[in-house]
Amino acid sequence: MAWNEDNSAGSVTISGWNINGKTGDVEFAIVKFNAVGSSGSSTSLTLEVTTLQDTSYYDISTTLNHGSLSITGSSEPLNGYSGDKPLTIYSHETITGNLTYSVGSSYYSGKLFPGDTYPVEHAITIPTGATVKFARLYTYWTWSAIGITGRYPDLKLTFDGDVLSPAVTYDDRKGVGTYYDYPSGTWAYDITNYVTGSGDHTTVIENMGPDNSYFAMDGVGLLVVYTEPNGDEIEYWIAEGCDLLSSQVESGLTPEEATTQAIFTGSIDLTNIEEATLTTVVQSGNDIDNMLIFNLENWTGIYDGTPYPDLDVDEQDVLNYLVYNDNIVKMRALDDYMVPSNAFLVLKHTTSKTPPSGGGNSVSLSAFIIPAISIEVTPSNVDFGSLGPGEISSNHQVNIKNVGSTTIDVTSEVTDNAQNLYVKGLQINNAAWSGYQTQLIPSSVEGADLRLKVPVDYVGVGEQQGVLMFWAQQI
């Protein structure tokens, strides 16, 4: 099991075990590196073991052999549909106040040719007496080309009558193949001097490119972070960027490869947080199979074309999924195309309690107790489809998560009223279900592949029901 991966720091926590123990040489981890740089460049590879202990917490001695990584050149260009451009943290701070984000009257423009304009109105409302700390405008553009050749747009932006240049530009493109190598981008503009409180603002985007050039706008987002004397104490992270992702068949990538992330670095006090909200902004992500992952939790069905199909803005309550250090959000394209562009994590701190009168002081105490032994299994239903005697179904994965506080041993049991169809035919990880056993440490998740092998002499017909039960026992 691996968790707490931090690609920026180059660190990971790994736990491994074997029921019968292990001696001698062990292949403990395989690390895949993504090469970023030009041919001939290299960097040192320095290893450090923070803690290596056995199950009794006795230290295990180590010998480190350091090395280096070199880019020797490749005839294969980088596939831009992979998660190669993680979102960047623009701002992270604890303030008394809040933030607001809106896409205003944004809509999908279709192709904008030279001279075409794209107007968007934003109506911003912040509390009376609040002070704007900063305001940031995001333009989400896509499908930029001249004829059938991809190019970067000649984009002119006017905000409240003034022409502005971007403070930073993020973009990505397919980079391989002959067709549809069209870049997309997220350009960020500093508009702090223009947004000083509540009010209406107008953005106009114009294509200033040569003849036959065009690009399309997915929308314009306006973010305002403000302080408020009597407001809530919050900690926020603002992540921004542009990463084209696709695991469609023609991309040649798996969903795991078509995954980008943002790391909200830093330690947090989980006992001092009463609300946690994660907002993600994704261009062209209108597919309910696309996945949002936050630490060990994941969601599908959320990128559903809200507020409109070409720009998804999703907000999730993530209070129960926070970890103490370096919370990580990932966005994954499952057999689809999407362009993650923003992620905002906002933690509202617990309101301070006023001591009672009379000179005493109080301490508010709270604790959320989880059971020692508890598991979650998803999904709760598996349909193996239509099968005949002697046929074997495809694999269907279920995930088993240890949501208790102790390390557990998990076994399985199968029952049915279908003439032992499942008792005899169900397999877990390509073996008889009766031999299934695994160990899970707290918060870890393990996948199990289920398939049904119908006995050749099976005579039942029609829909047949069975039950697979996973049992957990403390080790």
Side-chain angles (χ1 to χ4, degrees), residues 32-39 41 43 69-74 78 82 84:
K32 180 179 179 181
F33 291 93
N34 179 42
V36 179
S38 58
S39 177
S41 61
T43 185
L69 301 173
S70 300
I71 300 177
T72 59
S74 172
L78 179 67
S82 64
D84 59 334

Side-chain angles (χ1 to χ4, degrees), residues 20 56 90 114 179 196 198 233 328 332 364 380 394 466 470:
N20 299 317
S56 298
Y90 165 70
Y179 300 105
T196 58
S198 299
E233 182 179 274
I328 300 176
R332 175 171 296 167
S364 178
S380 60
S394 59
F470 288 101

Side-chain angles (χ1 to χ4, degrees), residues 18 26 61 88 126 164 174 226 287 338 417 428 456:
N18 183 290
V26 179
S61 61
T88 299
I126 64 174
L164 303 182
K174 178 183 176 184
Y226 58 87
D287 190 303
M338 65 190 300
N417 56 0
I428 302 179
V456 293

Side-chain angles (χ1 to χ4, degrees), residues 41-98:
S41 61
S42 63
T43 185
S44 60
L45 175 63
T46 303
L47 304 176
E48 178 184 358
V49 177
T50 303
T51 303
L52 182 61
Q53 297 176 328
D54 62 20
T55 55
S56 298
Y57 301 100
Y58 292 116
D59 288 338
I60 300 173
S61 61
T62 62
T63 300
L64 300 179
N65 295 318
H66 307 297
S68 64
L69 301 173
S70 300
I71 300 177
T72 59
S74 172
S75 59
E76 294 294 330
L78 179 67
N79 189 330
Y81 282 155
S82 64
D84 59 334
K85 294 189 175 182
L87 303 188
T88 299
I89 301 299
Y90 165 70
S91 181
H92 167 215
E93 194 173 3
T94 298
I95 63 171
T96 300
N98 212 333

